Amino acid sequence: MKKLLLLTMIMMMAGSALGQPQRSRVQPAEQKQKQNPSSAMSMRAQLTFPTAVEMPEEVVWRRDIYRELDLTEDANAGLYFPVEPQGRQLNLFTYIFKLAQNGYVPVYEYPTDGSDNFSDEAKVEMKTILDNYHIFYEEQNGKLKVDNSDIPSAEVKKYYLKESAYYDQANSSFHIKVLALCPVMLREDDFDGESTQYPLFWVKYGDLEPFLNRQTVMASSLNNAATMSMADYFTLNSYKGKIYKTNNAQGKTLLQLCNGDADKLSAEQKRIEAELAAFHKTIFGDPAKRDSIDNVMAVNAKSAKSAKTKSSSSRSSKAPKAKSSSSKSSGGSSARVTVRRQRH
């Protein structure tokens, strides 16, 4: 009896020992799913927006450009209004702020040199940003809570935008792809009243794009019914901004390369814009040469057509002569007919 009880206890202990690792493997996964609902939300957003196309890693031509978007300009004003949420309608910064606050999209620090780094080491917590820029918030059950009135969307009047113009040799097409956005807060100084720019953080456009499909932006100030999604707004490059930097070996901005000269900066911006337009225009060949070749082909085709017309007219003019000659030898032709008549 004692042996039987001992054997039963050993089997129970062995069974618990064998079952414990299995439960430990399942339990962390369940806890992880409960603790990270934002990852499930991000995955769901990507599944509902499958048309987002990433830029190919290997391209034959590419140029990275940084632009400054001024939201006071009419082309970019749709990203600024409404300043405070009106129902489900949010402006761009409020939308990005709420997505980052809830952990749906990661944000990256803005370095002092103005570069961008999207590695895991450069990720920054939203709580750190709130503390650094004195944005009021409450923390409840480990979650950040910020009222709409405390979100500084009215002060974010600029964006730094990184885009890449590239030629995709796989389908022989030219694209301009937005890569990242950085909201810039303009906060007035308490002493002299001048506004100081504070770039808040970088956010990758690839992480943001699936969510932008759910928000609309006004496409025209004259026609209020003309709206488009924010994703289409950036995909169609409807924004307008001046170039302040391009990727270069020195990592300097255009203002630094121009030694602070405003006239040189304006000339350099126009030169880069002209280079991009020229590359896009001549990517499939020089239009002037192509037009000249088309003109030569048109002249050759016209000459061939006129020669063909002359040839057909000459053949038609020779046809009556052949008929008259056959009529002259009508006797011979009738003789042949009479000879071939059947005899009775």
Side-chain angles (χ1 to χ4, degrees):
M1 188 67 179
K2 292 181 178 180
K3 292 183 178 180
L4 182 59
L5 291 174
L6 183 59
L7 182 61
T8 304
M9 292 176 63
I10 292 174
M11 291 179 64
M12 291 176 63
M13 293 176 63
S16 61
L18 291 173
Q20 187 174 1
Q22 187 175 1
R23 288 195 300 269
S24 63
R25 286 196 298 269
V26 176
Q27 190 174 359
E30 295 176 352
Q31 291 179 354
K32 187 176 180 180
Q33 186 175 4
K34 292 180 181 179
Q35 292 175 359
N36 296 326
S38 59
S39 60
M41 180 65 180
S42 301
M43 183 65 68
R44 193 179 303 114
Q46 293 175 2
L47 292 175
T48 56
F49 189 69
T51 57
V53 179
E54 294 291 339
M55 185 180 64
E57 294 182 359
E58 296 182 0
V59 292
V60 295
W61 188 89
R62 169 183 171 181
R63 191 165 191 183
D64 294 339
I65 295 172
Y66 297 80
R67 296 182 181 273
E68 182 179 291
L69 273 59
D70 187 357
L71 300 188
T72 59
E73 295 189 11
D74 188 64
N76 308 322
L79 303 177
Y80 184 73
F81 296 100
V83 177
E84 291 192 5
Q86 297 179 0
R88 297 183 59 184
Q89 189 65 31
L90 311 173
N91 68 356
L92 179 60
F93 177 71
T94 303
Y95 196 42
I96 295 176
F97 187 92
K98 288 181 175 292
L99 291 173
Q101 174 189 343
N102 295 319
Y104 296 145
V105 295
V107 294
Y108 303 84
E109 63 179 355
Y110 183 87
T112 55
D113 60 353
S115 60
D116 53 272
N117 182 11
F118 300 109
S119 62
D120 293 337
E121 293 77 11
K123 288 184 179 180
V124 60
E125 296 292 334
M126 198 63 184
K127 185 177 179 180
T128 304
I129 296 175
L130 298 177
D131 292 333
N132 291 341
Y133 298 101
H134 308 289
I135 301 173
F136 181 77
Y137 67 94
E138 295 179 356
E139 194 169 0
Q140 298 178 355
N141 298 326
K143 293 184 179 180
L144 301 177
K145 182 180 179 181
V146 182
D147 292 337
N148 292 334
S149 58
D150 294 324
I151 299 176
S153 60
E155 296 177 303
V156 177
K157 298 181 180 180
K158 287 185 179 182
Y159 280 93
Y160 292 152
L161 180 143
K162 181 182 179 181
E163 66 182 14
S164 182
Y166 66 95
Y167 173 71
D168 187 1
Q169 69 272 20
N171 51 16
S172 300
S173 58
F174 180 82
H175 300 277
I176 299 178
K177 174 71 174 178
V178 180
L179 300 181
L181 290 169
C182 174
V184 181
M185 183 171 61
L186 274 67
R187 181 165 288 180
E188 294 183 358
D189 196 347
D190 296 334
F191 298 99
D192 53 10
E194 295 183 358
S195 298
T196 305
Q197 295 190 165
Y198 297 98
L200 299 179
F201 51 80
W202 281 108
V203 57
K204 292 172 65 175
Y205 183 76
D207 297 333
L208 195 63
E209 190 173 14
F211 297 96
L212 294 181
N213 192 42
R214 303 179 181 183
Q215 286 294 324
T216 59
V217 60
M218 187 180 296
S220 173
S221 298
L222 302 177
N223 182 9
N224 300 138
T227 59
M228 67 174 71
S229 68
M230 287 186 178
D232 292 338
Y233 175 85
F234 287 105
T235 302
L236 297 174
N237 308 118
S238 301
Y239 51 85
K240 183 180 179 181
K242 293 183 179 179
I243 300 174
Y244 72 90
K245 181 183 176 181
T246 60
N247 264 353
N248 54 78
Q250 299 178 358
K252 294 183 178 180
T253 63
L254 295 184
L255 189 61
Q256 292 173 339
L257 293 175
C258 297
N259 297 324
D261 192 333
D263 294 335
K264 290 183 179 180
L265 174 63
S266 179
E268 186 67 12
Q269 290 171 338
K270 293 179 181 178
R271 185 187 66 81
I272 296 174
E273 294 282 8
E275 286 180 353
L276 293 174
F279 181 83
H280 189 195
K281 187 177 181 180
T282 61
I283 194 170
F284 299 109
D286 190 355
K289 294 181 179 179
R290 185 170 63 248
D291 293 342
S292 63
I293 293 174
D294 293 340
N295 292 333
V296 171
M297 294 178 64
V299 171
N300 292 338
K302 186 176 181 180
S303 301
K305 186 177 180 181
S306 60
K308 185 177 180 180
T309 304
K310 291 179 180 179
S311 177
S312 60
S313 62
S314 63
R315 286 197 300 268
S316 60
S317 61
K318 291 179 181 178
K321 294 181 181 180
K323 186 176 180 181
S324 60
S325 62
S326 61
S327 61
K328 288 180 181 179
S329 59
S330 59
S333 62
S334 60
R336 285 197 297 271
V337 172
T338 54
V339 168
R340 292 180 181 178
R341 289 179 180 176
Q342 295 182 356
R343 296 180 180 180
H344 298 284

